[in-house]
Amino acid sequence: MTSYSAQFKRCDRENIFNGREMRGNKRCRHPDPRRRDLNNLDGFFRLNGKAIAFRAKMSVDVDGGYAPCAGTRGRTDQCPTTYFYKKLSPGDEALPKWRQKYVTSDIVPYVVIPYDSLRPGRPNDRESREFRDKTGVAMGDVGVVVDGDKVIPVLVADGGPHNKIGEGSLALFDALGDTRCAKRLSSDPRFCTKVKNYSLGRTVEYVLFPSSKINDLTPSNTNRKVSEKALKLYRALGR
C-alpha cells in the first residue's frame, strides 16, 4: 500500500501516476493554481483488519444530483452515478426517473473512489481495478467520514479518475457544515441549482469497510440503512 499511496503523491508533484503522464482533467497539478486540486493523501492504513482509512482532501461531486440530472450540468458533471439502484421501495415509483436509478448527491452523503480507466468504458482495466484490488473496497460499500468530532456515515456511490482520491457529495458537504450549494431550488430546498465547485480547505479522514455492501438499498431507505450499518461497523473498531 505504501507504493500505491506514493503514486498519488507523485501525481500531486509531477502529474505522473504509475509511470504515465496525466493530462487534461486527469491532471492532479493543474498549471492554473485556481484549478489545482491536489490529492493531499497521507497514506492508507488498515484498522483491525476490518477497514481501510486514509486522510485526503475533499472535492465536490454533484453526479446524481439535481443540477446535472434536471438542471444545468457543468463541464465535467454527469447525471449517472457509478452505483445505481436495482430495487425500489413503495412510493419510489413517483420519484423522477433519475432519482429512481442514481444516488442523489443533494440528499445522500456519498464518497467517490478511484475507478475510471484511462480508456473509458473498460471497468476491468488495471487502472480501474487497482483501488479495489488493493483495498477491497468496492462500489456500494459503506463507511464514515471523520472531521473533528463529526462522524458522517457514507455510501461508496461513484467512481472518479483512477489517479485521484478524496471526493464527496453535496449532502456530505452539508453534513460537514461546509455547504457547496450557492443556490437552492425554491420549490424544494433540498436540491441545489448552483454549486460552488471547490474543495474543503482541510483534509478529512475516510474510513471505508470492504465487503459491506447492502443488497436492498432503495432511494428512500439509503440514508437510514447506510447510517445504521456504517456506524455499527465504525463503533466496532473501538475508536
Side-chain angles (χ1 to χ4, degrees):
M1 295 291 284
T2 302
S3 60
Y4 182 47
S5 64
Q7 296 304 317
F8 292 94
K9 296 175 183 179
R10 186 179 184 191
C11 194
D12 283 353
R13 296 192 311 270
E14 306 172 50
N15 280 326
I16 294 175
F17 194 93
N18 283 340
R20 290 185 174 183
E21 182 181 359
M22 299 292 105
R23 301 178 180 179
N25 67 354
K26 288 187 168 54
R27 287 179 293 191
C28 299
R29 191 174 190 86
H30 198 281
D32 182 350
R34 294 170 299 178
R35 297 177 62 186
R36 194 168 293 166
D37 196 27
L38 305 181
N39 292 301
N40 288 330
L41 175 71
D42 71 351
F44 296 100
F45 307 91
R46 294 194 181 273
L47 301 178
N48 298 346
K50 299 176 181 178
I52 290 289
F54 56 93
R55 291 195 68 88
K57 56 89 172 171
M58 182 183 288
S59 56
V60 63
D61 183 8
V62 302
D63 293 356
Y66 178 87
C69 292
T72 302
R73 189 174 73 178
R75 183 173 56 87
T76 61
D77 301 335
Q78 303 179 70
C79 181
T81 49
T82 307
Y83 179 90
F84 56 89
Y85 294 113
K86 298 180 181 178
K87 297 181 180 181
L88 297 176
S89 292
D92 285 346
E93 296 87 352
L95 296 173
K97 292 296 184 183
W98 54 275
R99 287 196 58 202
Q100 292 183 35
K101 189 168 186 180
Y102 306 121
V103 184
T104 308
S105 177
D106 310 71
I107 294 175
V108 178
Y110 72 65
V111 295
V112 182
I113 60 173
Y115 190 87
D116 292 345
S117 169
L118 287 170
R119 294 175 289 180
R122 302 197 179 200
N124 291 314
D125 276 7
R126 181 174 71 90
E127 294 91 355
S128 179
R129 298 193 318 266
E130 193 167 19
F131 181 84
R132 288 171 285 171
D133 288 348
K134 290 185 180 299
T135 66
V137 175
M139 210 58 60
D141 284 339
V142 303
V144 298
V145 167
V146 182
D147 181 33
D149 60 356
K150 293 186 175 73
V151 179
I152 313 300
V154 293
L155 176 68
V156 178
D158 207 13
H162 74 285
N163 60 307
K164 294 186 179 182
I165 196 165
E167 196 170 353
S169 67
L170 286 165
L172 179 51
F173 275 82
D174 287 346
L176 291 170
D178 207 337
T179 186
R180 286 297 175 268
C181 186
K183 184 178 180 182
R184 296 190 183 271
L185 190 66
S186 57
S187 59
D188 191 339
R190 292 178 301 170
F191 299 110
C192 187
T193 62
K194 186 176 181 181
V195 178
K196 298 181 285 188
N197 193 15
Y198 56 91
S199 294
L200 283 177
R202 59 190 182 276
T203 61
V204 295
E205 184 182 24
Y206 301 77
V207 181
L208 305 179
F209 297 95
S211 304
S212 59
K213 185 175 182 179
I214 303 169
N215 292 321
D216 58 348
L217 287 185
T218 68
S220 58
N221 72 22
T222 292
N223 281 355
R224 175 177 60 83
K225 285 185 173 287
V226 168
S227 180
E228 289 173 352
K229 185 163 189 177
L231 291 177
K232 180 179 180 180
L233 292 171
Y234 183 69
R235 291 176 187 131
L237 294 175
R239 302 186 86 202

